[in-house]
């Protein structure tokens, strides 16, 4: 085998992904890959105007085109009951009404779906879609944030009020100050798998949907509410999801259109967004302009901070995220003033994208800390340690666990931070300027509710089921690992089934909380199963009637008496002895009420080495070390992959990704992979991920915290700081492209 691709000498220390083989061999089926009997194909037509109303729409030519079965527009669309009852699934958790697809003739953004063409092949549907002609009454559109900040008004309300801790302007009177404005463009999720919905109506009141979703239960709820169906009338499947960084957290209008379309033609229907449609129909990270100011004493102690974030939302929904939260949380600073403004523009609604809020807010904060470190002539890590928050600076609560100091040390040691020459522009490799930079990431550690079915079968296999989906982190693998450890079963004897809304309800995969939430249910289920096994073991002559879970060890599929391990019996034989075909349980797990006394966060520290070419301005990421406090690491290999994936996304955000809208027309300029750049293999060095790996004793019984978001949060700042160290130039505008390095 070619060693370039299969480095078989590297030992695999940990459990491989349980679904890895299915994914790489193509056996795994994704939402667009169900070839149902009589399948039809839906293609959406987008508005070519940005703001206004549809005056007329001509669908005749398209309807007469070969293979076309139906064209749906606002003129003939079925009324969606949920739209009228205010249960619009498009509403998500934002203010406003959400986009009610084909409900009226109002155009809110360029590319908004105005028609769904359904045909017997994808090609015919695509061709017919090109024949739809619409006329518009156009209004003047506004899509520029910088323009809105000059002439427009941000939304008002409690969450947008100035939030002052201590004294408002304390930073201004400090001995040493930094103050600057940072900008960040729109970033787009762009998972490999396009958003896709396949729908089959099984009866008037029953529909089956294969959907790219991070939450099969939440999608089920959305479709139930939209179409007025019962829970048993909506089956949602998402066995495999080809990446999702937040874009699959909501049920978007195109999915509603697909369900509508399948009903209209009375046949199954598949609707796959095109890559250009992925830029405007499934959310994005909002553009942001942020001002930050920090004042410190000459010993590095922070005196005061000010952080004002300005970001965009759509005119029909107010999407909010915690952009300034990290500034209030990360450092022990008595005086902090934050303000968050969002401006409604004629764009589609943004949504959560990996590290939502903090990924944006960490860029100015962690760059400003670096700038302050130079101004004070203190090492950037030392500066952070001098302002270490031992308790939550917002409310004084203790942390459920915090090993950020350990993460600083672990990362610095592995990276070789001590080899860094403190002054900028001092390090070189050949003709390249070398820079070292670091930053911190932080994200709340959450745990929600989950239910789980667990069956220990007669052959000693454990099968677990929960209605969750795995958008990439390796959820089934982590759950198999937890259960295998807890039950004393080889991993090959444990199966975790997901992606099916008829399973007991699991959480939506978001906010880095799946392992903490579902892992707790798995851990609880294993305790229940062990109790039941001990109970069943009483029927065997090997053990006495007073045997209990506490008096037994559970190792390699056997129960062994702790006091005399010559007395042992396999799980298979325990079941036989008790005449049980299987042990079946349902386990529920919720929040730990004790958590109200604590603050809970995960932490990451990113170390980056860049090479900057002085003639071309090219920035290369030469090395990355990421160290994290994410609690107990359940599955080392998938955890490391999760961190590495975050770094890849971080490299994109730091150096390449920039969504461009032409404000003259309100239209996307680069909604394709030729013009919107994401990192490729050549852009990504070997990424090293390390974990403090100490349990959080409060959040959940597994001791894990989250890591999906911290993998990315702060990364752009580490790159910008490294570029400064290499060149002496502060670039405060993402992405850091050669023109900015040279300019
Ligand atoms: Mo993540 S933004 O919670 O998918």
């Amino acid at each position: 085998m070619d060693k370039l691709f299969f480095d078989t000498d590297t030992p695999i220390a940990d459990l491989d992904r349980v679904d890895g083989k299915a994914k790489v061999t193509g056996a795994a089926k994704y939402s667009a890959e169900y070839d149902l009997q009589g399948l039809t194909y839906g293609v959406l037509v987008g508005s070519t105007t940005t703001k206004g109303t549809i005056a007329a729409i001509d669908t005749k030519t398209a309807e007469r085109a070969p293979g076309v079965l139906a064209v749906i527009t606002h003129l003939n669309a079925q009324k969606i009951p949920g739209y009228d009852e205010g249960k619009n699934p498009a509403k998500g958790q934002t203010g406003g009404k959400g986009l009610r697809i084909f409900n009226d003739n109002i155009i809110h953004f360029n590319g908004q779906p105005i028609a769904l063409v359904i045909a017997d092949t994808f090609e015919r549907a695509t061709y017919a879609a090109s024949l739809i002609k619409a006329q518009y009454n156009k209004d003047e559109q506004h899509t520029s944030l910088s323009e809105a900040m000059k002439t427009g008004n941000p939304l008002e309300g409690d969450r947008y009020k100035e939030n002052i801790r201590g004294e408002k302007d304390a930073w201004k009177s400090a001995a040493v100050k930094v103050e600057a404005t940072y900008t960040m463009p729109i970033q787009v999720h762009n998972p490999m798998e396009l958003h896709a919905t396949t729908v089959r109506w099984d009866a008037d009141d029953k529909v089956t949907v294969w959907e790219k979703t991070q939450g099969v239960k939440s999608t089920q709820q959305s479709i139930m509410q939209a179409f007025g169906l019962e829970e048993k009338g909506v089956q949602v499947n998402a066995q495999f999801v080809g990446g999702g960084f937040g874009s699959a957290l909501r049920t978007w209008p195109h999915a509603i259109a697909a369900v509508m379309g399948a009903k209209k033609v009375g046949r199954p229907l598949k609707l796959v967004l095109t890559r250009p449609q992925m830029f405007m129909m499934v959310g994005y990270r909002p553009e942001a302009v942020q001002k930050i100011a920090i004042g410190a004493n000459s010993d590095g102690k922070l005196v005061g901070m000010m952080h004002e974030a300005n970001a965009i939302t759509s005119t029909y929904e107010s999407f909010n995220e915690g952009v300034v939260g990290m500034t209030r949380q990360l450092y022990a600073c008595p005086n902090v003033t934050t303000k968050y403004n969002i401006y409604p523009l004629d764009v589609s609604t943004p949504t959560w994208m990996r590290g939502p809020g903090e990924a944006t807010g960490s860029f100015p904060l962690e760059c400003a800390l670096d700038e302050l470190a130079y101004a004070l002539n203190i090492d950037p890590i030392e500066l952070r340690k001098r302002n270490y928050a031992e308790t939550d600076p917002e409310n004084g609560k203790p942390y459920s666990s915090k090993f950020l100091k350990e993460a600083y040390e672990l990362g610095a040691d592995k990276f070789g931070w001590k080899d860094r020459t403190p002054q900028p522009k001092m390090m070189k490799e050949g003709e390249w300027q070398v820079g070292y930079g670091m930053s911190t990431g932080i994200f709340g550690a959450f745990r929600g509710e989950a239910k789980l079915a667990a069956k220990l079968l007669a052959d000693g296999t454990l099968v677990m089921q929960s209605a969750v989906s795995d958008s990439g982190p390796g959820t089934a693998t982590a759950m198999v690992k937890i259960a295998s450890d807890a039950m004393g079963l080889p991993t090959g004897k444990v199966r975790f089934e997901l992606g099916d809304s008829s399973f007991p309800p699991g959480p939506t995969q978001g906010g880095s909380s799946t392992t903490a939430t579902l892992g707790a249910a798995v851990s609880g289920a294993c305790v229940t199963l062990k109790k039941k096994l001990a109970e069943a073991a009483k029927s065997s002559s090997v053990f006495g009637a007073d045997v209990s879970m506490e008096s037994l060890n559970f190792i390699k599929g056997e129960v062994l008496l702790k006091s005399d391990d010559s007395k042992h019996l396999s799980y298979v034989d325990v079941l036989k002895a008790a005449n049980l075909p299987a042990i079946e349980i349902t386990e529920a797990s919720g929040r730990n009420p004790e958590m109200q006394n604590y603050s809970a966060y995960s932490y990451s520290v990113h170390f980056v080495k860049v090479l900057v070419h002085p003639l071309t301005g090219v920035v290369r990421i030469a090395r990355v070390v990421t160290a994290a406090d994410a609690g107990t690491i359940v599955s080392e290999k998938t955890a490391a992959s999760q961190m590495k994936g975050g770094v890849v996304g971080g490299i994109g955000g730091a150096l390449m990704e920039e969504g461009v809208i032409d404000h003259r027309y309100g239209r996307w300029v680069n909604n394709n992979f030729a013009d919107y750049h994401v990192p490729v293999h050549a852009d990504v060095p070997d990424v090293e991920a390390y974990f403090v790996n100490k349990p959080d004793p409060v959040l959940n019984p597994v001791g894990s915290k989250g890591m999906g978001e911290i993998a990315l949060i702060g990364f752009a700042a580490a790159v910008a700081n490294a570029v400064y160290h290499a060149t002496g130039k502060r670039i405060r505008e993402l992405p850091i492209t050669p023109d900015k390095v040279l300019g």
Side-chain angles (χ1 to χ4, degrees):
M1 211 174 274
D2 190 337
K3 286 201 60 182
L4 272 176
F5 289 93
F6 295 95
D7 180 4
T8 45
D9 290 343
T10 306
I12 292 166
D14 199 49
L15 177 60
D16 288 345
R17 248 168 221 265
V18 295
D19 49 3
K21 206 179 220 172
K23 284 187 166 181
V24 298
T25 56
K29 274 171 106 179
Y30 295 83
S31 295
E33 297 181 322
Y34 288 84
D35 285 322
L36 307 177
Q37 183 89 38
L39 189 64
T40 66
Y41 299 81
V43 169
L44 287 167
V45 180
S47 163
T48 54
T49 202
T50 301
K51 186 181 172 68
T53 52
I54 303 167
I57 184 159
D58 176 12
T59 58
K60 289 252 155 24
T61 327
E63 279 160 2
R64 280 191 226 109
V68 172
L69 301 163
V71 177
I72 299 178
T73 69
H74 69 283
L75 296 173
N76 66 348
Q78 136 190 30
K79 285 292 162 218
I80 301 298
Y83 284 177
D84 293 332
E85 291 162 28
K87 289 180 189 158
N88 181 6
K91 207 173 152 182
Q93 290 170 27
T94 64
K97 284 194 166 161
L99 182 72
R100 293 174 292 179
I101 193 162
F102 308 143
N103 195 61
D104 54 37
N105 69 342
I106 302 167
I107 299 298
H108 304 276
F109 62 91
N110 205 296
Q112 176 184 325
I114 58 165
L116 173 67
V117 178
I118 305 166
D120 59 356
T121 70
F122 170 69
E123 290 76 10
R124 285 169 146 184
T126 302
Y127 171 66
S130 74
L131 304 173
I132 303 278
K133 296 276 175 289
Q135 280 155 4
Y136 305 91
N137 298 313
K138 291 186 192 181
D139 292 336
E140 195 191 334
Q141 81 283 339
H142 300 279
T143 58
S144 157
L145 173 60
S146 58
E147 204 54 42
M149 285 171 64
K150 276 182 236 151
T151 60
N153 293 311
L155 292 180
E156 285 177 17
D158 281 348
R159 60 177 22 146
Y160 312 118
K161 287 208 173 104
E162 195 170 56
N163 189 354
I164 304 169
R165 178 164 89 218
E167 214 183 295
K168 183 177 166 179
D169 288 327
W171 69 272
K172 288 183 180 165
S173 49
V176 182
K177 286 176 280 194
V178 295
E179 186 186 4
T181 297
Y182 292 79
T183 67
M184 198 163 157
I186 287 177
Q187 295 175 353
V188 184
H189 306 78
N190 275 318
M192 265 204 279
E193 182 199 23
L194 300 163
H195 274 255
T197 312
T198 303
V199 185
R200 185 186 65 211
W201 282 88
D202 303 307
D204 266 353
D205 56 357
K206 184 164 188 341
V207 67
T208 302
V209 178
W210 290 262
E211 168 75 337
K212 179 191 180 81
T213 177
Q214 291 171 238
V216 280
K217 287 306 283 186
S218 55
T219 298
Q220 182 193 40
Q221 288 291 323
S222 295
I223 293 170
M224 280 162 54
Q225 289 175 356
F227 292 89
L229 296 166
E230 305 272 309
E231 188 166 357
K232 63 178 190 304
V234 181
Q235 169 66 38
V236 176
N237 301 320
Q239 263 77 30
F240 291 94
V241 178
F245 311 102
S247 64
L249 285 170
R250 292 181 66 175
T251 302
W252 295 99
H254 72 267
I256 300 302
V259 178
M260 213 192 266
K263 182 131 213 176
K264 174 102 176 173
V265 296
R267 285 166 64 175
L269 178 143
K270 170 158 89 177
L271 192 162
V272 185
L273 293 187
T274 61
R275 186 58 69 178
Q277 288 172 339
M278 292 281 289
F279 284 71
M280 51 190 95
M281 289 188 196
V282 289
Y284 52 86
R285 192 193 303 286
E287 178 184 5
V289 174
Q290 301 176 78
K291 291 179 206 161
I292 195 151
I294 306 186
N297 292 331
S298 52
D299 64 358
K301 272 290 205 192
L302 298 182
V303 171
M305 300 201 271
M306 185 285 298
H307 184 172
E308 182 196 291
N310 301 278
I312 66 174
T313 187
S314 69
T315 53
Y316 54 96
E317 279 182 286
S318 43
F319 170 74
N320 294 275
E321 53 183 2
V323 179
V324 293
M326 181 166 164
T327 302
R328 307 191 66 82
Q329 177 56 231
L330 185 53
Y331 299 109
C333 177
N335 307 298
V336 178
T337 300
T338 52
K339 176 107 170 67
Y340 174 53
N341 304 315
I342 58 171
Y343 291 85
L345 297 175
D346 301 311
V347 293
S348 62
T349 306
T351 196
W352 303 280
M353 180 164 156
R354 200 169 195 175
E358 280 80 355
T360 303
S362 60
F363 174 52
L365 176 65
E366 287 296 282
C367 286
L369 254 288
D370 193 69
E371 196 170 355
L372 186 64
Y374 283 99
L376 290 160
N377 200 19
I378 298 175
D379 178 88
I381 299 174
E382 175 58 25
L383 177 64
R384 285 163 171 84
K385 285 184 182 167
R386 285 190 198 174
N387 294 286
Y388 198 78
E390 298 288 355
T391 56
D392 187 328
E394 278 290 271
N395 52 31
K397 285 183 186 178
Y399 292 107
S400 58
S401 65
K402 180 174 182 177
F403 300 105
L404 174 57
K405 245 178 214 162
E406 287 80 351
Y408 283 133
E409 271 147 34
L410 177 65
D413 179 52
K414 297 288 185 185
F415 184 77
W417 184 254
K418 64 174 181 351
D419 303 334
R420 167 182 176 268
T421 310
Q423 294 76 25
K425 292 172 76 171
M426 297 297 283
M427 296 171 75
K428 281 203 159 198
E429 270 176 29
E431 55 185 0
W432 295 82
Q433 292 164 291
V434 175
Y436 286 9
M438 58 80 57
S439 72
T440 319
I442 175 173
F443 198 78
F446 304 106
R447 171 185 171 188
E449 292 173 355
K451 276 195 179 146
L452 173 83
K455 290 177 219 175
L456 186 63
L457 305 178
D459 69 351
T461 305
L462 173 63
V463 180
M464 295 173 287
Q465 296 176 324
S466 184
V468 290
S469 66
D470 175 15
S471 59
T475 298
T477 310
M479 296 308 126
V480 164
K481 191 79 188 329
I482 291 171
S484 141
D485 289 350
M487 287 302 296
L489 276 171
T491 52
K493 281 291 215 183
V494 183
R495 230 167 49 228
F496 191 89
E497 297 175 354
L498 45 64
D500 181 332
S501 65
S502 69
F503 292 162
T508 292
Q509 187 159 74
S512 304
S513 59
T514 310
T515 301
T517 300
L518 200 56
V522 168
S523 165
C526 291
V527 174
T528 309
L529 283 175
K530 285 198 271 192
K531 281 186 188 150
K532 299 233 173 205
L533 263 176
E535 198 54 41
K538 290 179 181 173
S539 312
S540 154
S541 54
V542 177
F543 307 103
D546 56 348
V547 73
S548 68
M549 182 180 82
E550 289 75 21
S551 62
L552 291 170
N553 280 320
F554 298 77
I555 300 168
K556 291 190 179 158
E558 284 197 320
V559 287
L560 303 92
L561 202 59
K562 279 182 184 165
S563 56
D564 176 6
D565 67 7
S566 72
K567 294 191 168 172
H568 58 94
L569 202 58
S570 72
Y571 300 166
V572 173
D573 288 334
V574 171
L575 288 177
K576 259 189 214 149
N579 208 10
L580 288 170
I583 299 177
E584 292 189 37
I585 60 155
T586 305
E587 186 79 18
S589 162
R591 297 183 176 84
N592 178 359
E594 262 186 66
M595 279 304 292
Q596 65 187 19
N597 304 317
Y598 295 92
S599 284
Y601 290 86
S602 290
Y603 301 90
S604 60
V605 186
H606 304 291
F607 291 87
V608 174
K609 174 185 174 186
V610 297
L611 301 176
V612 183
H613 199 280
L615 292 181
T616 62
V618 163
V619 177
R620 282 205 186 139
I621 308 289
R623 193 163 169 239
V624 177
V625 167
T626 290
D629 164 24
T632 299
I633 299 308
V634 167
S635 159
E636 210 166 288
K637 196 171 177 184
T638 50
S641 292
Q642 172 95 326
M643 295 304 289
K644 291 174 189 181
V647 167
V648 175
I651 292 173
L655 299 183
M656 296 152 205
E657 296 187 48
E658 180 174 21
V660 180
I661 290 175
D662 184 334
H663 300 308
R664 293 173 302 172
Y665 311 106
R667 191 174 299 163
W668 269 87
V669 173
N670 61 344
N671 52 348
N672 58 74
F673 275 168
D675 299 312
Y676 183 95
H677 292 176
V678 295
V680 297
H681 281 85
D683 298 313
V684 183
D686 246 358
V687 176
E688 296 163 52
Y690 300 98
F691 300 101
V692 177
N693 196 11
K694 287 193 178 158
D696 184 298
V698 198
L699 186 66
N700 67 74
V702 179
S704 69
K705 300 194 275 190
M707 73 179 64
E709 327 292 335
I710 53 163
L712 175 80
I713 293 167
F715 192 80
V719 175
N721 295 341
V723 168
Y724 174 77
H725 184 236
T727 64
K729 194 173 167 112
R730 281 270 163 215
I731 297 173
R732 306 178 200 277
E733 195 181 329
L734 293 180
I736 302 170
T737 45
D739 53 309
K740 293 170 195 161
V741 174
L742 294 176

